[in-house]
Structure formats: C-alpha cells, structure tokens
Amino acid sequence: MRLLFALLTLASALPASAVEVTRFMSSEQGFAVNSWLVPTTRGIVVIDTQFTVTEADKLVKTVIQTGRPLKAIVITHPHPDHYNGTCQLLKLAHVPVYATQATIDGIRATAEAKRTQWKPTYGSDYPDTTCVPDHAVPIGGSVRVEGVEFQFHDYGPGEALGESIIFAPALHAVFVGDLIYNHVHPWLAEGRTAQWLAQLDRLATEVSAGWTVYPGHGPSGDVTLIDAQRKYIAGFREATQARLGPSGLTPDSTKTIVDGIRAQYPAWPLEMLIPLNVEAVAKELSEEGAH
C-alpha cells in the first residue's frame, strides 16, 4: 500500500504531457484565434486570452470545466485578439500574467487605438479596459509554474510589433503565437513579411523534430508547419511581385491576386484579410525595390 501511494504521489508531481494541452478556438468573428490551456501538476496555464468578451467568457467556462484552478496567464504578442480576454480570466483568480517587456510595451502603446478602431464594430463585446501583463520576463528568461518551465524567446517585429515564442521543454512543445497560422489566412497587413520569413528560418533551427507546434490560429502540428507557413508567405510575395508595376497595383491586378490566393487555399478562415494583405505586401515590396 505504501508503494502504491508513493507511485501515485510521484505520478501527480510529473509535468503534463503535450497531448493534454487543450485548444480553445474562437469563432471567425473573433478572428479564429487560439487560447492554449496547459495543465500543470494541479492547475492550468492559459496562453493568450481571446478578442471579444463573449469568447473570453467561453474560455473562462472552459477553464472551469477542466476542474483545475487557473495558475498563470501568458501573452505571446501585442495583438488584441491575444490579450483582450485577460481581465475576464483574472476574475477567476488573481494570477501572474507573463509577457516579454516588448509585448507589454506594445500593448500599452496600441491598446487604446485598437479600442477606438474596433469598438464601433463590436460595441459592448469589445472590452472597455485592458489588463496589461504584470510580470515582465527578460529576453531569454523563463518562468516555472508547478514544475512546467516556459522559456521566452524574443523574436522581434514580424506579424506584430513583437513576437515572443514560448518553449516548454518538458512537454516538447513550443507556443509560437502568430508566427504561424495553420490553414488560416495570416495577418500580413503590417508589411513585415521579409522579417517574418527570417523568423521562421530561426524557428526551424530552434525547434527539434518530434516537438509539437502550437500556433496562434489553426490546429497544432509538427515542425512541418514552419515550412508550410514559409511557403504561404513566399508565395504571396511572389504573386504580388509578379503584378506589381512602377506605380503599384491596379484594381484588376489586386483582384487577380486575391482571387488566386482564395483559389489556392479554398475555404480557409479569415479570407477577409486577403485584400488588406495584398495592399500591405505591395507597399513592402515597393519599398524593398526602392533601396
């Protein structure tokens, strides 16, 4: 009996496995964004917290249904679909909210502008306040929550003003935020696709085969997700470059690119982003050509 009790105690102290990580995904109206629920020995760490109040409330219910208390929150980057639900989650428990300083600064710099942008569309479903992460993790630093270590790698500007990649070695897992969209049209509208491609090259050198990759949008997968994202972005750039004239894109050229992307990736969520992406990538490529 003592041996059995000792074995049970040891099992309860072991870190969770990657197969136990749970995905909560919003509707497309909430940008089909993921929150990842990572079990620790006794609780849950939530990585990214949703866009709308409605989806954040659903996330709260999902955490409650696990039967595990909330232990910490991690925010990967300063886009509101990844941090807007933090205040709702903190109603469950006052837990630390971790992010890099770059992410914290990015949230502080843009939160009110994003609220002004989105409030007219979402009304009361867009939160009135922002709960900024209160624990800054140094570049290359880590935090440990009940036996699970989360290592923060700062990748700098790319899809967002800053991207932090969260490694969980005990789980053979990496939470990549919006560095990867898996079978979801990505947000290229900030015009940093060249930097994004360089980040993907870096990620490929840092993630081992056999690890699970948890993206900001779309289902988890293996390291082949890195090449798939690289192919999408490189192809988008090539399609735009092929129709880019000295004075930019004509309306017909833009329509051709948009239609081609839709045909190549049929029924992928967030199709409404494609025209914005074409405009931004065309501008980026024009600026690259001018140097």
Side-chain angles (χ1 to χ4, degrees):
M1 182 62 72
R2 289 181 179 177
L3 177 60
L4 177 60
F5 179 77
L7 291 173
L8 289 173
T9 301
L10 175 62
S12 67
L14 293 174
S17 67
V19 295
E20 294 175 302
V21 174
T22 300
R23 176 189 179 202
F24 176 88
M25 181 187 71
S26 76
S27 65
E28 193 163 356
Q29 186 177 10
F31 291 103
V33 66
N34 294 331
S35 297
W36 296 106
L37 281 62
V38 185
T40 62
T41 52
R42 291 177 295 277
I44 287 285
V45 174
V46 173
I47 299 180
D48 292 336
T49 63
Q50 295 297 308
F51 184 63
T52 66
V53 174
T54 297
E55 297 293 354
D57 285 341
K58 292 177 182 177
L59 173 60
V60 167
K61 291 179 181 177
T62 301
V63 173
I64 293 171
Q65 288 168 359
T66 68
R68 292 169 174 260
L70 180 66
K71 293 294 184 178
I73 297 169
V74 172
I75 305 298
T76 59
H77 66 282
H79 274 166
D81 55 329
H82 293 261
Y83 66 73
N84 268 358
T86 302
C87 293
Q88 298 299 108
L89 273 177
L90 288 174
K91 293 177 182 178
L92 279 176
H94 185 69
V95 299
V97 183
Y98 297 104
T100 63
Q101 190 62 54
T103 293
I104 293 171
D105 292 344
I107 293 172
R108 286 176 173 156
T110 61
E112 289 308 314
K114 294 295 185 182
R115 202 177 332 276
T116 299
Q117 175 185 354
W118 291 112
K119 262 290 187 183
T121 301
Y122 287 89
S124 61
D125 208 21
Y126 196 93
D128 293 321
T129 57
T130 299
C131 290
V132 178
D134 57 359
H135 284 63
V137 181
I139 294 174
S142 66
V143 297
R144 186 176 293 274
V145 183
E146 293 189 342
V148 180
E149 182 187 20
F150 298 90
Q151 300 173 350
F152 287 66
H153 294 208
D154 190 346
Y155 272 40
E159 188 261 3
L161 283 171
E163 296 283 347
S164 55
I165 310 304
I166 317 300
F167 289 75
L171 309 183
H172 290 176
V174 58
F175 300 88
V176 298
D178 282 359
L179 187 57
I180 291 179
Y181 289 63
N182 183 16
H183 284 76
V184 178
H185 291 288
W187 172 258
L188 309 179
E190 296 187 22
R192 289 184 287 264
T193 59
Q195 290 164 279
W196 194 337
L197 288 170
Q199 290 174 337
L200 290 166
D201 290 342
R202 175 182 170 183
L203 184 65
T205 68
E206 293 186 351
V207 179
S208 302
W211 279 42
T212 302
V213 177
Y214 294 91
H217 302 258
S220 60
D222 59 23
V223 294
T224 60
L225 296 189
I226 301 172
D227 285 335
Q229 186 66 84
R230 185 188 290 112
K231 179 181 177 182
Y232 182 104
I233 296 172
F236 202 108
R237 285 171 58 94
E238 290 167 7
T240 304
Q241 184 71 71
R243 294 190 169 272
L244 187 62
S247 56
L249 294 173
T250 66
D252 285 345
S253 293
T254 297
K255 184 178 185 304
T256 298
I257 298 167
V258 170
D259 290 346
I261 296 296
R262 284 176 174 156
Q264 188 174 1
Y265 303 101
W268 279 24
L270 305 189
E271 276 192 352
M272 74 283 197
L273 299 181
I274 302 174
L276 297 173
N277 291 342
V278 172
E279 180 182 355
V281 171
K283 180 181 178 182
E284 180 187 3
L285 292 172
S286 294
E287 290 173 352
E288 288 177 7
H291 294 300

